[in-house]
Amino acid sequence: QVQLVESGGGLVQAGGSLRLSCAASGSIFSDRAMGWYRQAPGKQRELVARITSNGMTNYAESVKGRFTISRDNAKNTLYLQMNSLKPEDTAVYYCNFVYVGNAWGRGTQVTVSS
């Protein structure tokens, strides 16, 4: 059974940066598209960035130009570099498989203060 563990969240001032990590165990994800999702209070979970097995990336308009998704298949790890953070980015961030997203972890809290 695959498990995904997110880490790297925290409290940061607006304009700052964070680097989130998602470590996968129990399975190799090198051939699967992965995504970062977030859920803010009172809102639905949304996909903010994804990366395919071929390395193609897509971003939600709200984070485009500020966030960068990457993966290290040798380490079975997914990353999200978050720059120029805004208070609107405050949410719990999750990683998951894009097409069969049934491996939700606990997520990691990102809080951006103004």
Side-chain angles (χ1 to χ4, degrees):
Q1 182 179 17
V2 64
Q3 295 184 40
L4 302 175
V5 180
E6 300 92 344
S7 63
L11 175 64
V12 65
Q13 188 177 3
S17 299
L18 286 172
R19 182 176 171 85
L20 307 184
S21 297
C22 170
S25 63
S27 181
I28 298 175
F29 66 40
S30 61
D31 61 343
R32 304 175 71 174
M34 299 292 297
W36 281 100
Y37 302 76
R38 69 184 181 188
Q39 186 166 25
K43 296 184 178 180
Q44 290 187 316
R45 184 154 48 204
E46 64 173 337
L47 178 66
V48 299
R50 64 180 175 182
I51 184 168
T52 70
S53 60
N54 295 324
M56 295 189 298
T57 59
N58 297 95
Y59 300 92
E61 192 66 28
S62 60
V63 308
K64 195 172 185 178
R66 300 187 297 118
F67 291 9
T68 302
I69 187 171
S70 62
R71 63 196 300 164
D72 186 335
N73 290 333
K75 296 182 178 179
N76 240 23
T77 303
L78 182 73
Y79 302 98
L80 185 67
Q81 179 66 47
M82 309 164 66
N83 298 327
S84 302
L85 284 163
K86 304 175 180 179
E88 306 91 88
D89 296 319
T90 296
V92 178
Y93 284 72
Y94 305 85
C95 63
N96 211 337
F97 304 102
V98 171
Y99 298 105
V100 185
N102 59 357
W104 298 107
R106 295 184 179 89
T108 185
Q109 177 71 49
V110 171
T111 303
V112 184
S113 65
S114 59

